[in-house]
Amino acid sequence: MRTSVASTVDHSDDRTDRRDRGRTVVADAVVATVAGIAAREVPGLHALEPAGSRALDALRSAVGVDGARHTQGVSVEVDDRTAVVSLDLVADYGISIADVAADVRRNVSSAVTALTGLTCSRVDVVVHDVQVGGHRTAA
């Protein structure tokens, strides 16, 4: 996730003085949360998580910490009017990975635009694993 604290979204039009109307600031973490929630709504997406996160998940389970944060597996880059979202995911076996990725892109882009006012210029999807029943396929 980018290190900047927040990004500015200016919804004023050119006919008014922007200083009189104010500005809206949407933090990068908010964009990441919206993207994570929207991605998880897509059938065929088993989980959002960075590659190699199984050991961390096991540790979280052992100490009783819920690892299902909305931003896990999500990173964003936001500037004044656009957002680029990157997602690391595990897909369910038996469903077209290409279709899942396309559906995730569409849902994330729509949600980010609708809820933050930013244009989602790109949604990158990396599938790290496939879930078969209760077992992962990648080592």
Side-chain angles (χ1 to χ4, degrees):
M1 191 170 308
R2 251 179 57 168
T3 57
S4 67
V5 175
S7 300
T8 303
V9 180
D10 187 350
H11 291 287
S12 62
D13 61 40
D14 293 333
R15 291 176 282 140
T16 61
D17 184 353
R18 292 180 182 181
R19 288 173 292 183
D20 289 341
R21 297 200 52 194
R23 66 182 193 155
T24 302
V25 177
V26 179
D28 291 8
V30 172
V31 177
T33 299
V34 168
I37 292 169
R40 284 178 177 85
E41 294 173 346
V42 174
L45 184 144
H46 179 75
L48 284 173
E49 60 185 40
S53 67
R54 280 192 243 174
L56 185 57
D57 288 345
L59 179 62
R60 283 184 182 132
S61 294
V63 296
V65 176
D66 182 13
R69 299 173 318 209
H70 293 298
T71 59
Q72 184 175 345
V74 181
S75 61
V76 300
E77 294 179 25
V78 181
D79 64 22
D80 286 340
R81 296 187 182 269
T82 62
V84 174
V85 178
S86 298
L87 302 164
D88 295 303
L89 62 88
V90 176
D92 287 326
Y93 179 79
I95 299 175
S96 167
I97 292 172
D99 289 348
V100 170
D103 291 346
V104 165
R105 280 188 188 95
R106 188 172 23 261
N107 211 44
V108 167
S109 182
S110 294
V112 167
T113 299
L115 298 176
T116 69
L118 294 166
T119 299
C120 193
S121 62
R122 193 172 78 226
V123 178
D124 296 324
V125 176
V126 177
V127 180
H128 290 285
D129 205 348
V130 176
Q131 178 78 17
V132 181
H135 305 286
R136 301 271 177 91
T137 59

mmCIF file of all heavy atoms in Angstrom, residues 52-103:
data_model
loop_
_atom_site.group_PDB
_atom_site.id
_atom_site.type_symbol
_atom_site.label_atom_id
_atom_site.label_comp_id
_atom_site.label_asym_id
_atom_site.label_seq_id
_atom_site.Cartn_x
_atom_site.Cartn_y
_atom_site.Cartn_z
ATOM 1 N N GLY A 52 2.286 -16.584 -0.123
ATOM 2 C CA GLY A 52 3.082 -16.975 1.028
ATOM 3 C C GLY A 52 2.518 -16.562 2.364
ATOM 4 O O GLY A 52 3.224 -16.545 3.362
ATOM 5 N N SER A 53 1.242 -16.264 2.426
ATOM 6 C CA SER A 53 0.668 -15.777 3.688
ATOM 7 C C SER A 53 0.144 -16.897 4.577
ATOM 8 O O SER A 53 -0.363 -16.634 5.652
ATOM 9 C CB SER A 53 -0.448 -14.779 3.411
ATOM 10 O OG SER A 53 -1.540 -15.429 2.804
ATOM 11 N N ARG A 54 0.264 -18.145 4.150
ATOM 12 C CA ARG A 54 -0.263 -19.242 4.962
ATOM 13 C C ARG A 54 0.379 -19.325 6.340
ATOM 14 O O ARG A 54 -0.288 -19.592 7.333
ATOM 15 C CB ARG A 54 -0.095 -20.568 4.236
ATOM 16 C CG ARG A 54 -1.155 -20.781 3.205
ATOM 17 C CD ARG A 54 -1.100 -22.197 2.742
ATOM 18 N NE ARG A 54 -0.768 -22.162 1.328
ATOM 19 C CZ ARG A 54 -0.520 -23.220 0.603
ATOM 20 N NH1 ARG A 54 -0.514 -24.402 1.154
ATOM 21 N NH2 ARG A 54 -0.251 -23.122 -0.660
ATOM 22 N N ALA A 55 1.703 -19.118 6.411
ATOM 23 C CA ALA A 55 2.387 -19.174 7.704
ATOM 24 C C ALA A 55 1.869 -18.082 8.632
ATOM 25 O O ALA A 55 1.637 -18.319 9.817
ATOM 26 C CB ALA A 55 3.894 -19.034 7.510
ATOM 27 N N LEU A 56 1.665 -16.889 8.089
ATOM 28 C CA LEU A 56 1.120 -15.793 8.888
ATOM 29 C C LEU A 56 -0.301 -16.112 9.348
ATOM 30 O O LEU A 56 -0.669 -15.842 10.494
ATOM 31 C CB LEU A 56 1.148 -14.494 8.089
ATOM 32 C CG LEU A 56 0.715 -13.232 8.815
ATOM 33 C CD1 LEU A 56 1.560 -13.004 10.059
ATOM 34 C CD2 LEU A 56 0.807 -12.043 7.885
ATOM 35 N N ASP A 57 -1.115 -16.716 8.465
ATOM 36 C CA ASP A 57 -2.478 -17.104 8.850
ATOM 37 C C ASP A 57 -2.459 -18.127 9.984
ATOM 38 O O ASP A 57 -3.269 -18.059 10.899
ATOM 39 C CB ASP A 57 -3.235 -17.671 7.654
ATOM 40 C CG ASP A 57 -3.616 -16.607 6.645
ATOM 41 O OD1 ASP A 57 -3.562 -15.409 6.992
ATOM 42 O OD2 ASP A 57 -3.965 -16.970 5.507
ATOM 43 N N ALA A 58 -1.534 -19.082 9.914
ATOM 44 C CA ALA A 58 -1.424 -20.092 10.971
ATOM 45 C C ALA A 58 -1.056 -19.442 12.297
ATOM 46 O O ALA A 58 -1.599 -19.793 13.351
ATOM 47 C CB ALA A 58 -0.388 -21.146 10.579
ATOM 48 N N LEU A 59 -0.143 -18.481 12.257
ATOM 49 C CA LEU A 59 0.246 -17.763 13.469
ATOM 50 C C LEU A 59 -0.925 -16.971 14.033
ATOM 51 O O LEU A 59 -1.187 -16.986 15.229
ATOM 52 C CB LEU A 59 1.421 -16.828 13.174
ATOM 53 C CG LEU A 59 1.919 -15.991 14.343
ATOM 54 C CD1 LEU A 59 2.423 -16.898 15.456
ATOM 55 C CD2 LEU A 59 3.010 -15.048 13.879
ATOM 56 N N ARG A 60 -1.670 -16.277 13.153
ATOM 57 C CA ARG A 60 -2.844 -15.527 13.612
ATOM 58 C C ARG A 60 -3.860 -16.443 14.276
ATOM 59 O O ARG A 60 -4.448 -16.104 15.295
ATOM 60 C CB ARG A 60 -3.499 -14.803 12.436
ATOM 61 C CG ARG A 60 -2.780 -13.576 12.000
ATOM 62 C CD ARG A 60 -3.577 -12.887 10.905
ATOM 63 N NE ARG A 60 -2.874 -11.723 10.432
ATOM 64 C CZ ARG A 60 -2.679 -11.434 9.168
ATOM 65 N NH1 ARG A 60 -3.143 -12.210 8.215
ATOM 66 N NH2 ARG A 60 -2.024 -10.364 8.828
ATOM 67 N N SER A 61 -4.104 -17.613 13.676
ATOM 68 C CA SER A 61 -5.049 -18.567 14.247
ATOM 69 C C SER A 61 -4.571 -19.051 15.614
ATOM 70 O O SER A 61 -5.364 -19.202 16.542
ATOM 71 C CB SER A 61 -5.235 -19.760 13.314
ATOM 72 O OG SER A 61 -5.854 -19.344 12.130
ATOM 73 N N ALA A 62 -3.268 -19.298 15.729
ATOM 74 C CA ALA A 62 -2.714 -19.809 16.980
ATOM 75 C C ALA A 62 -2.864 -18.810 18.120
ATOM 76 O O ALA A 62 -3.093 -19.209 19.261
ATOM 77 C CB ALA A 62 -1.248 -20.179 16.800
ATOM 78 N N VAL A 63 -2.770 -17.526 17.829
ATOM 79 C CA VAL A 63 -2.880 -16.517 18.882
ATOM 80 C C VAL A 63 -4.276 -15.926 18.969
ATOM 81 O O VAL A 63 -4.524 -15.017 19.752
ATOM 82 C CB VAL A 63 -1.829 -15.391 18.721
ATOM 83 C CG1 VAL A 63 -0.433 -15.945 18.873
ATOM 84 C CG2 VAL A 63 -1.999 -14.648 17.422
ATOM 85 N N GLY A 64 -5.196 -16.410 18.126
ATOM 86 C CA GLY A 64 -6.580 -15.975 18.210
ATOM 87 C C GLY A 64 -6.868 -14.639 17.564
ATOM 88 O O GLY A 64 -7.814 -13.958 17.936
ATOM 89 N N VAL A 65 -6.075 -14.241 16.579
ATOM 90 C CA VAL A 65 -6.301 -12.986 15.882
ATOM 91 C C VAL A 65 -6.965 -13.279 14.550
ATOM 92 O O VAL A 65 -6.499 -14.128 13.795
ATOM 93 C CB VAL A 65 -4.967 -12.224 15.658
ATOM 94 C CG1 VAL A 65 -5.199 -10.963 14.848
ATOM 95 C CG2 VAL A 65 -4.315 -11.905 16.985
ATOM 96 N N ASP A 66 -8.042 -12.586 14.257
ATOM 97 C CA ASP A 66 -8.750 -12.770 12.991
ATOM 98 C C ASP A 66 -7.920 -12.187 11.858
ATOM 99 O O ASP A 66 -7.617 -11.006 11.843
ATOM 100 C CB ASP A 66 -10.111 -12.073 13.046
ATOM 101 C CG ASP A 66 -10.922 -12.260 11.774
ATOM 102 O OD1 ASP A 66 -10.548 -13.121 10.944
ATOM 103 O OD2 ASP A 66 -11.925 -11.553 11.621
ATOM 104 N N GLY A 67 -7.571 -13.032 10.881
ATOM 105 C CA GLY A 67 -6.759 -12.577 9.759
ATOM 106 C C GLY A 67 -7.579 -12.107 8.582
ATOM 107 O O GLY A 67 -7.041 -11.871 7.515
ATOM 108 N N ALA A 68 -8.890 -11.963 8.725
ATOM 109 C CA ALA A 68 -9.759 -11.632 7.591
ATOM 110 C C ALA A 68 -10.000 -10.134 7.481
ATOM 111 O O ALA A 68 -11.110 -9.687 7.337
ATOM 112 C CB ALA A 68 -11.080 -12.374 7.720
ATOM 113 N N ARG A 69 -8.931 -9.366 7.540
ATOM 114 C CA ARG A 69 -9.073 -7.925 7.363
ATOM 115 C C ARG A 69 -9.514 -7.643 5.935
ATOM 116 O O ARG A 69 -9.150 -8.348 5.009
ATOM 117 C CB ARG A 69 -7.747 -7.225 7.621
ATOM 118 C CG ARG A 69 -7.219 -7.429 9.014
ATOM 119 C CD ARG A 69 -5.853 -6.850 9.075
ATOM 120 N NE ARG A 69 -5.155 -7.215 7.822
ATOM 121 C CZ ARG A 69 -3.862 -7.378 7.716
ATOM 122 N NH1 ARG A 69 -3.094 -7.189 8.728
ATOM 123 N NH2 ARG A 69 -3.305 -7.705 6.560
ATOM 124 N N HIS A 70 -10.248 -6.578 5.754
ATOM 125 C CA HIS A 70 -10.754 -6.238 4.417
ATOM 126 C C HIS A 70 -9.648 -5.869 3.449
ATOM 127 O O HIS A 70 -9.813 -6.016 2.248
ATOM 128 C CB HIS A 70 -11.753 -5.080 4.507
ATOM 129 C CG HIS A 70 -13.012 -5.446 5.214
ATOM 130 N ND1 HIS A 70 -13.861 -6.421 4.770
ATOM 131 C CD2 HIS A 70 -13.546 -4.968 6.357
ATOM 132 C CE1 HIS A 70 -14.875 -6.529 5.601
ATOM 133 N NE2 HIS A 70 -14.708 -5.672 6.575
ATOM 134 N N THR A 71 -8.524 -5.399 3.941
ATOM 135 C CA THR A 71 -7.463 -4.956 3.042
ATOM 136 C C THR A 71 -6.379 -6.000 2.811
ATOM 137 O O THR A 71 -5.436 -5.746 2.068
ATOM 138 C CB THR A 71 -6.812 -3.666 3.574
ATOM 139 O OG1 THR A 71 -6.277 -3.913 4.866
ATOM 140 C CG2 THR A 71 -7.809 -2.517 3.613
ATOM 141 N N GLN A 72 -6.506 -7.167 3.411
ATOM 142 C CA GLN A 72 -5.509 -8.216 3.195
ATOM 143 C C GLN A 72 -5.510 -8.616 1.717
ATOM 144 O O GLN A 72 -6.553 -8.875 1.132
ATOM 145 C CB GLN A 72 -5.815 -9.428 4.063
ATOM 146 C CG GLN A 72 -4.773 -10.512 3.953
ATOM 147 C CD GLN A 72 -5.032 -11.649 4.920
ATOM 148 O OE1 GLN A 72 -5.814 -11.526 5.850
ATOM 149 N NE2 GLN A 72 -4.371 -12.757 4.692
ATOM 150 N N GLY A 73 -4.338 -8.639 1.096
ATOM 151 C CA GLY A 73 -4.233 -8.986 -0.311
ATOM 152 C C GLY A 73 -4.579 -7.854 -1.256
ATOM 153 O O GLY A 73 -4.691 -8.056 -2.460
ATOM 154 N N VAL A 74 -4.751 -6.645 -0.721
ATOM 155 C CA VAL A 74 -5.128 -5.482 -1.530
ATOM 156 C C VAL A 74 -4.078 -4.393 -1.360
ATOM 157 O O VAL A 74 -3.684 -4.071 -0.245
ATOM 158 C CB VAL A 74 -6.498 -4.899 -1.093
ATOM 159 C CG1 VAL A 74 -6.884 -3.704 -1.953
ATOM 160 C CG2 VAL A 74 -7.579 -5.959 -1.123
ATOM 161 N N SER A 75 -3.634 -3.821 -2.468
ATOM 162 C CA SER A 75 -2.800 -2.628 -2.398
ATOM 163 C C SER A 75 -3.344 -1.616 -3.401
ATOM 164 O O SER A 75 -3.940 -2.002 -4.415
ATOM 165 C CB SER A 75 -1.331 -2.942 -2.670
ATOM 166 O OG SER A 75 -1.159 -3.476 -3.952
ATOM 167 N N VAL A 76 -3.187 -0.353 -3.077
ATOM 168 C CA VAL A 76 -3.712 0.709 -3.944
ATOM 169 C C VAL A 76 -2.673 1.801 -4.131
ATOM 170 O O VAL A 76 -1.818 2.013 -3.272
ATOM 171 C CB VAL A 76 -5.019 1.336 -3.390
ATOM 172 C CG1 VAL A 76 -6.108 0.293 -3.255
ATOM 173 C CG2 VAL A 76 -4.778 2.035 -2.077
ATOM 174 N N GLU A 77 -2.775 2.456 -5.265
ATOM 175 C CA GLU A 77 -2.029 3.684 -5.538
ATOM 176 C C GLU A 77 -3.073 4.699 -5.957
ATOM 177 O O GLU A 77 -3.826 4.469 -6.903
ATOM 178 C CB GLU A 77 -1.020 3.474 -6.654
ATOM 179 C CG GLU A 77 0.098 2.525 -6.298
ATOM 180 C CD GLU A 77 1.068 2.328 -7.443
ATOM 181 O OE1 GLU A 77 1.173 3.230 -8.301
ATOM 182 O OE2 GLU A 77 1.696 1.269 -7.485
ATOM 183 N N VAL A 78 -3.136 5.804 -5.239
ATOM 184 C CA VAL A 78 -4.169 6.800 -5.485
ATOM 185 C C VAL A 78 -3.512 8.148 -5.726
ATOM 186 O O VAL A 78 -2.589 8.535 -5.012
ATOM 187 C CB VAL A 78 -5.139 6.895 -4.283
ATOM 188 C CG1 VAL A 78 -6.238 7.907 -4.545
ATOM 189 C CG2 VAL A 78 -5.735 5.535 -3.969
ATOM 190 N N ASP A 79 -3.999 8.850 -6.757
ATOM 191 C CA ASP A 79 -3.579 10.239 -6.927
ATOM 192 C C ASP A 79 -4.824 11.104 -6.832
ATOM 193 O O ASP A 79 -5.837 10.676 -6.285
ATOM 194 C CB ASP A 79 -2.786 10.452 -8.221
ATOM 195 C CG ASP A 79 -3.595 10.191 -9.488
ATOM 196 O OD1 ASP A 79 -4.844 10.238 -9.449
ATOM 197 O OD2 ASP A 79 -2.965 9.961 -10.534
ATOM 198 N N ASP A 80 -4.803 12.295 -7.363
ATOM 199 C CA ASP A 80 -5.907 13.235 -7.179
ATOM 200 C C ASP A 80 -7.259 12.727 -7.666
ATOM 201 O O ASP A 80 -8.276 12.990 -7.052
ATOM 202 C CB ASP A 80 -5.610 14.568 -7.867
ATOM 203 C CG ASP A 80 -4.577 15.357 -7.099
ATOM 204 O OD1 ASP A 80 -4.378 15.077 -5.913
ATOM 205 O OD2 ASP A 80 -3.969 16.259 -7.703
ATOM 206 N N ARG A 81 -7.278 12.010 -8.771
ATOM 207 C CA ARG A 81 -8.564 11.607 -9.343
ATOM 208 C C ARG A 81 -8.662 10.141 -9.746
ATOM 209 O O ARG A 81 -9.710 9.692 -10.173
ATOM 210 C CB ARG A 81 -8.876 12.464 -10.564
ATOM 211 C CG ARG A 81 -9.068 13.924 -10.235
ATOM 212 C CD ARG A 81 -9.539 14.693 -11.451
ATOM 213 N NE ARG A 81 -9.684 16.096 -11.158
ATOM 214 C CZ ARG A 81 -10.812 16.641 -10.732
ATOM 215 N NH1 ARG A 81 -11.877 15.926 -10.557
ATOM 216 N NH2 ARG A 81 -10.853 17.936 -10.486
ATOM 217 N N THR A 82 -7.564 9.389 -9.638
ATOM 218 C CA THR A 82 -7.590 7.996 -10.090
ATOM 219 C C THR A 82 -7.014 7.062 -9.042
ATOM 220 O O THR A 82 -6.225 7.463 -8.187
ATOM 221 C CB THR A 82 -6.793 7.807 -11.409
ATOM 222 O OG1 THR A 82 -5.438 8.140 -11.165
ATOM 223 C CG2 THR A 82 -7.355 8.643 -12.532
ATOM 224 N N ALA A 83 -7.417 5.808 -9.157
ATOM 225 C CA ALA A 83 -6.905 4.756 -8.280
ATOM 226 C C ALA A 83 -6.484 3.571 -9.135
ATOM 227 O O ALA A 83 -7.146 3.227 -10.110
ATOM 228 C CB ALA A 83 -7.977 4.322 -7.285
ATOM 229 N N VAL A 84 -5.373 2.960 -8.749
ATOM 230 C CA VAL A 84 -4.926 1.706 -9.322
ATOM 231 C C VAL A 84 -4.968 0.698 -8.179
ATOM 232 O O VAL A 84 -4.410 0.937 -7.110
ATOM 233 C CB VAL A 84 -3.500 1.811 -9.896
ATOM 234 C CG1 VAL A 84 -2.995 0.443 -10.348
ATOM 235 C CG2 VAL A 84 -3.460 2.803 -11.045
ATOM 236 N N VAL A 85 -5.649 -0.423 -8.408
ATOM 237 C CA VAL A 85 -5.827 -1.439 -7.375
ATOM 238 C C VAL A 85 -5.112 -2.713 -7.804
ATOM 239 O O VAL A 85 -5.220 -3.126 -8.963
ATOM 240 C CB VAL A 85 -7.331 -1.733 -7.144
ATOM 241 C CG1 VAL A 85 -7.514 -2.825 -6.095
ATOM 242 C CG2 VAL A 85 -8.073 -0.461 -6.750
ATOM 243 N N SER A 86 -4.390 -3.328 -6.876
ATOM 244 C CA SER A 86 -3.746 -4.622 -7.116
ATOM 245 C C SER A 86 -4.277 -5.612 -6.091
ATOM 246 O O SER A 86 -4.335 -5.300 -4.897
ATOM 247 C CB SER A 86 -2.226 -4.504 -6.978
ATOM 248 O OG SER A 86 -1.716 -3.605 -7.937
ATOM 249 N N LEU A 87 -4.668 -6.783 -6.581
ATOM 250 C CA LEU A 87 -5.259 -7.807 -5.719
ATOM 251 C C LEU A 87 -4.499 -9.123 -5.850
ATOM 252 O O LEU A 87 -4.191 -9.554 -6.958
ATOM 253 C CB LEU A 87 -6.717 -8.037 -6.109
ATOM 254 C CG LEU A 87 -7.631 -6.821 -6.058
ATOM 255 C CD1 LEU A 87 -8.914 -7.082 -6.821
ATOM 256 C CD2 LEU A 87 -7.922 -6.457 -4.625
ATOM 257 N N ASP A 88 -4.203 -9.755 -4.723
ATOM 258 C CA ASP A 88 -3.607 -11.081 -4.681
ATOM 259 C C ASP A 88 -4.680 -12.019 -4.149
ATOM 260 O O ASP A 88 -5.181 -11.818 -3.047
ATOM 261 C CB ASP A 88 -2.400 -11.099 -3.744
ATOM 262 C CG ASP A 88 -1.280 -10.205 -4.252
ATOM 263 O OD1 ASP A 88 -0.831 -10.427 -5.386
ATOM 264 O OD2 ASP A 88 -0.871 -9.285 -3.515
ATOM 265 N N LEU A 89 -5.014 -13.052 -4.945
ATOM 266 C CA LEU A 89 -6.149 -13.873 -4.539
ATOM 267 C C LEU A 89 -5.939 -15.357 -4.726
ATOM 268 O O LEU A 89 -5.027 -15.804 -5.420
ATOM 269 C CB LEU A 89 -7.416 -13.412 -5.259
ATOM 270 C CG LEU A 89 -7.477 -13.492 -6.783
ATOM 271 C CD1 LEU A 89 -7.986 -14.855 -7.235
ATOM 272 C CD2 LEU A 89 -8.390 -12.405 -7.293
ATOM 273 N N VAL A 90 -6.833 -16.101 -4.092
ATOM 274 C CA VAL A 90 -6.955 -17.545 -4.245
ATOM 275 C C VAL A 90 -8.323 -17.780 -4.867
ATOM 276 O O VAL A 90 -9.336 -17.267 -4.386
ATOM 277 C CB VAL A 90 -6.867 -18.258 -2.876
ATOM 278 C CG1 VAL A 90 -7.091 -19.761 -3.030
ATOM 279 C CG2 VAL A 90 -5.526 -17.960 -2.205
ATOM 280 N N ALA A 91 -8.339 -18.541 -5.964
ATOM 281 C CA ALA A 91 -9.594 -18.830 -6.670
ATOM 282 C C ALA A 91 -10.116 -20.208 -6.266
ATOM 283 O O ALA A 91 -9.357 -21.080 -5.855
ATOM 284 C CB ALA A 91 -9.361 -18.797 -8.180
ATOM 285 N N ASP A 92 -11.419 -20.389 -6.384
ATOM 286 C CA ASP A 92 -12.029 -21.699 -6.165
ATOM 287 C C ASP A 92 -11.809 -22.560 -7.400
ATOM 288 O O ASP A 92 -11.958 -22.087 -8.533
ATOM 289 C CB ASP A 92 -13.538 -21.566 -5.914
ATOM 290 C CG ASP A 92 -13.850 -20.994 -4.551
ATOM 291 O OD1 ASP A 92 -13.099 -21.280 -3.595
ATOM 292 O OD2 ASP A 92 -14.851 -20.266 -4.431
ATOM 293 N N TYR A 93 -11.468 -23.826 -7.184
ATOM 294 C CA TYR A 93 -11.298 -24.764 -8.286
ATOM 295 C C TYR A 93 -12.642 -25.023 -8.966
ATOM 296 O O TYR A 93 -13.674 -25.091 -8.308
ATOM 297 C CB TYR A 93 -10.722 -26.091 -7.785
ATOM 298 C CG TYR A 93 -10.563 -27.100 -8.889
ATOM 299 C CD1 TYR A 93 -9.484 -27.024 -9.757
ATOM 300 C CD2 TYR A 93 -11.509 -28.096 -9.076
ATOM 301 C CE1 TYR A 93 -9.348 -27.934 -10.794
ATOM 302 C CE2 TYR A 93 -11.379 -29.005 -10.106
ATOM 303 C CZ TYR A 93 -10.301 -28.924 -10.968
ATOM 304 O OH TYR A 93 -10.172 -29.819 -11.988
ATOM 305 N N GLY A 94 -12.612 -25.159 -10.282
ATOM 306 C CA GLY A 94 -13.816 -25.502 -11.029
ATOM 307 C C GLY A 94 -14.523 -24.320 -11.655
ATOM 308 O O GLY A 94 -15.467 -24.482 -12.411
ATOM 309 N N ILE A 95 -14.083 -23.121 -11.338
ATOM 310 C CA ILE A 95 -14.661 -21.903 -11.924
ATOM 311 C C ILE A 95 -13.563 -21.242 -12.747
ATOM 312 O O ILE A 95 -12.414 -21.168 -12.312
ATOM 313 C CB ILE A 95 -15.184 -20.953 -10.834
ATOM 314 C CG1 ILE A 95 -16.289 -21.646 -10.027
ATOM 315 C CG2 ILE A 95 -15.695 -19.651 -11.433
ATOM 316 C CD1 ILE A 95 -16.800 -20.861 -8.854
ATOM 317 N N SER A 96 -13.899 -20.770 -13.925
ATOM 318 C CA SER A 96 -12.923 -20.147 -14.809
ATOM 319 C C SER A 96 -12.185 -19.012 -14.102
ATOM 320 O O SER A 96 -12.801 -18.036 -13.665
ATOM 321 C CB SER A 96 -13.629 -19.599 -16.054
ATOM 322 O OG SER A 96 -12.772 -18.737 -16.765
ATOM 323 N N ILE A 97 -10.869 -19.148 -14.005
ATOM 324 C CA ILE A 97 -10.058 -18.121 -13.366
ATOM 325 C C ILE A 97 -10.150 -16.814 -14.150
ATOM 326 O O ILE A 97 -10.225 -15.728 -13.566
ATOM 327 C CB ILE A 97 -8.601 -18.595 -13.206
ATOM 328 C CG1 ILE A 97 -8.550 -19.729 -12.175
ATOM 329 C CG2 ILE A 97 -7.684 -17.445 -12.799
ATOM 330 C CD1 ILE A 97 -7.205 -20.420 -12.066
ATOM 331 N N ALA A 98 -10.172 -16.920 -15.479
ATOM 332 C CA ALA A 98 -10.296 -15.715 -16.307
ATOM 333 C C ALA A 98 -11.613 -14.989 -16.026
ATOM 334 O O ALA A 98 -11.651 -13.756 -15.948
ATOM 335 C CB ALA A 98 -10.192 -16.070 -17.786
ATOM 336 N N ASP A 99 -12.707 -15.753 -15.868
ATOM 337 C CA ASP A 99 -14.008 -15.144 -15.559
ATOM 338 C C ASP A 99 -14.013 -14.515 -14.168
ATOM 339 O O ASP A 99 -14.561 -13.423 -13.971
ATOM 340 C CB ASP A 99 -15.133 -16.175 -15.666
ATOM 341 C CG ASP A 99 -15.419 -16.591 -17.097
ATOM 342 O OD1 ASP A 99 -14.920 -15.922 -18.045
ATOM 343 O OD2 ASP A 99 -16.139 -17.603 -17.274
ATOM 344 N N VAL A 100 -13.411 -15.210 -13.192
ATOM 345 C CA VAL A 100 -13.344 -14.661 -11.832
ATOM 346 C C VAL A 100 -12.566 -13.347 -11.852
ATOM 347 O O VAL A 100 -13.004 -12.345 -11.281
ATOM 348 C CB VAL A 100 -12.699 -15.661 -10.847
ATOM 349 C CG1 VAL A 100 -12.416 -15.001 -9.497
ATOM 350 C CG2 VAL A 100 -13.593 -16.878 -10.659
ATOM 351 N N ALA A 101 -11.417 -13.331 -12.531
ATOM 352 C CA ALA A 101 -10.600 -12.111 -12.596
ATOM 353 C C ALA A 101 -11.364 -10.969 -13.262
ATOM 354 O O ALA A 101 -11.336 -9.831 -12.789
ATOM 355 C CB ALA A 101 -9.297 -12.390 -13.340
ATOM 356 N N ALA A 102 -12.065 -11.265 -14.353
ATOM 357 C CA ALA A 102 -12.848 -10.229 -15.047
ATOM 358 C C ALA A 102 -13.964 -9.699 -14.153
ATOM 359 O O ALA A 102 -14.203 -8.485 -14.098
ATOM 360 C CB ALA A 102 -13.418 -10.777 -16.352
ATOM 361 N N ASP A 103 -14.646 -10.596 -13.448
ATOM 362 C CA ASP A 103 -15.722 -10.181 -12.548
ATOM 363 C C ASP A 103 -15.192 -9.356 -11.376
ATOM 364 O O ASP A 103 -15.816 -8.379 -10.949
ATOM 365 C CB ASP A 103 -16.493 -11.395 -12.031
ATOM 366 C CG ASP A 103 -17.302 -12.088 -13.117
ATOM 367 O OD1 ASP A 103 -17.497 -11.501 -14.206
ATOM 368 O OD2 ASP A 103 -17.734 -13.247 -12.878
#
